[in-house]
């Protein structure tokens, strides 16, 4: 039976004190790089592994990054492209930072007390996925922030709040998609959106309205669903089933619709299936564009034109910035390409913000809405958003395939 290597043996081989070995593995206090490397080399030679529980006590941390997910019965959440990509990005960064990831499910629609995760000392920080803009959710997040617990929202923005957020420029994404259809001479473009409780649904609607009004395909009006004629606006819940069900209503208005922009690929794929069953051939009889550029978009018949969203990078960036905020050393170390990747994220955010300004200038109402988001995105680490806080927006791009053919 192999003997257990002690900290004392590592210290002796490295020529340092036991306290120095502890500081190296717990990331506590200043340390010469040469000394740190001697300790790590001695540990590798002796196959020494520090005790995880003892480390957590020494650091006064759990070593866990929490990830809160919505629990929806009968929905295989880990098989959905959005959640799998975001979780992969978070997991990549957590692993490289020497942390573990703790998943926590919550029931949508019920009041959530996120602070319990911190009070039980199970996590040092948490990332929240699937948050909705409701009074109860805002109140829960306000309490979490007031208590000083570090957290970050992914793909959800709360106007007027200073929460840590990482999202994509969905105004830009939907604007590009609708402009592409308009450029093909299609003007009667229907929009299949998700619930307005999600900020990205509202952002996609703004991009749709901006493009349609710029082309004269819709008159000026309010920046909500009431501005879209009933035969051009449909709402699902981002599931394939809701897209399939929408096909019946859309086909009933087939004579007044040239194309459909769906707010995600799952709804677009369900819509294509439902239309085909009713004798309408997607890509030939009607143009369809999806959103997310999921793996499924590449294998539909015909392949689905879609807006590509950097979900993996959103998850990784959220974990990286959150771990940095709580002082985890190495959270920003992505190896040789770290500086280049970080620079790319900043450049993408800047391009996204510039595109947002360009779109917003087309109407006063859109300008007010976008200016609020851009101002928030530019307050990274400044007064107003809190010390060390961040609001990051990444770019989107259009991937053209056969389904948008007329």
């Amino acid at each position: 039976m192999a003997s257990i290597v002690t900290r004392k043996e590592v210290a002796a081989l490295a020529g340092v004190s036991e306290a120095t070995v502890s500081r190296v593995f717990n990331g506590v206090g200043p340390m010469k790089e040469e000394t740190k490397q001697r300790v790590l080399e001695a540990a590798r030679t002796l196959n020494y592994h520090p005790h995880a529980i003892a480390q957590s006590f020494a650091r006064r941390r759990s070593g866990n990054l929490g990830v809160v997910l919505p629990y929806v019965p009968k929905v295989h959440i880990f098989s959905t492209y959005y959640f799998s990509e975001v979780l992969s990005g978070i997991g990549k960064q957590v692993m490289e930072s020497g942390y573990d990831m703790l998943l926590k499910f919550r029931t949508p629609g019920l009041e959530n007390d996120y602070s319990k995760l911190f009070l039980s000392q199970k996590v040092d920080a948490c990332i929240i996925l699937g948050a909705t803009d409701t009074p109860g959710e805002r109140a829960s997040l306000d309490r979490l922030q007031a208590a000083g617990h570090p957290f970050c929202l992914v793909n959800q923005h709360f106007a007027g709040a200073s929460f840590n957020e990482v999202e994509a420029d969905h105004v830009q994404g939907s604007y590009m998609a609708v402009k592409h259809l308009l450029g093909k001479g299609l003007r009667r473009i229907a929009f299949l959106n998700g619930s307005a409780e999600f900020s990205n649904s509202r952002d996609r609607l703004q991009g749709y309205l901006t493009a349609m009004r710029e082309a004269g395909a819709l008159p000026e009006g309010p920046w909500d669903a009431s501005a879209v004629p009933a035969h051009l606006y449909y709402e699902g819940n981002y599931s394939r089933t809701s897209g399939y069900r929408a096909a019946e209503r859309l086909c009933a208005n087939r004579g007044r619709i040239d194309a459909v922009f769906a707010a995600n690929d799952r709804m677009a794929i369900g819509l294509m299936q439902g239309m085909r069953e009713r004798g309408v051939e997607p890509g030939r009889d009607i143009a369809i564009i999806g959103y997310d550029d999921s793996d499924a978009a590449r294998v539909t018949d015909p392949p689905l034109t879609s807006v590509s969203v950097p979900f993996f990078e959103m998850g990784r960036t959220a974990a990286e910035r959150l771990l940095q905020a709580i002082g985890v050393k190495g959270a920003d170390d992505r190896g040789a390409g770290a500086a280049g990747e970080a620079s790319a994220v900043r450049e993408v955010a800047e391009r996204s913000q510039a595109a947002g300004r360009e779109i917003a200038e087309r109407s006063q109402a859109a300008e007010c809405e976008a200016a609020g988001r851009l101002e928030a995105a530019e307050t990274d680490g400044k007064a107003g958003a809190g010390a060390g806080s961040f609001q990051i927006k990444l770019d989107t791009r259009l991937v053209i395939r056969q389904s948008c053919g007329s």
Side-chain angles (χ1 to χ4, degrees), residues 200-214:
N200 51 84
S201 298
R202 299 193 299 270
D203 288 347
R204 289 181 179 95
L205 176 59
Q206 183 183 320
Y208 168 84
L209 287 170
T210 301
M212 293 287 280
R213 286 171 177 171
E214 179 184 278

Side-chain angles (χ1 to χ4, degrees), residues 168-169 171-173 176 308 310 313 340-359 374 377-378 392-397:
D169 194 336
V171 176
Q172 176 202 39
M176 287 189 298
S308 179
E313 189 61 37
E341 287 188 33
S343 174
V345 171
R346 286 193 295 272
E347 289 175 7
V348 161
E350 288 166 5
R351 290 200 306 271
S352 173
Q353 291 170 16
R357 289 193 187 93
E358 203 172 292
I359 294 171
L374 293 171
E378 291 164 356
I392 300 170
K393 187 178 293 184
L394 303 184
D395 206 359
T396 54
R397 63 185 177 87

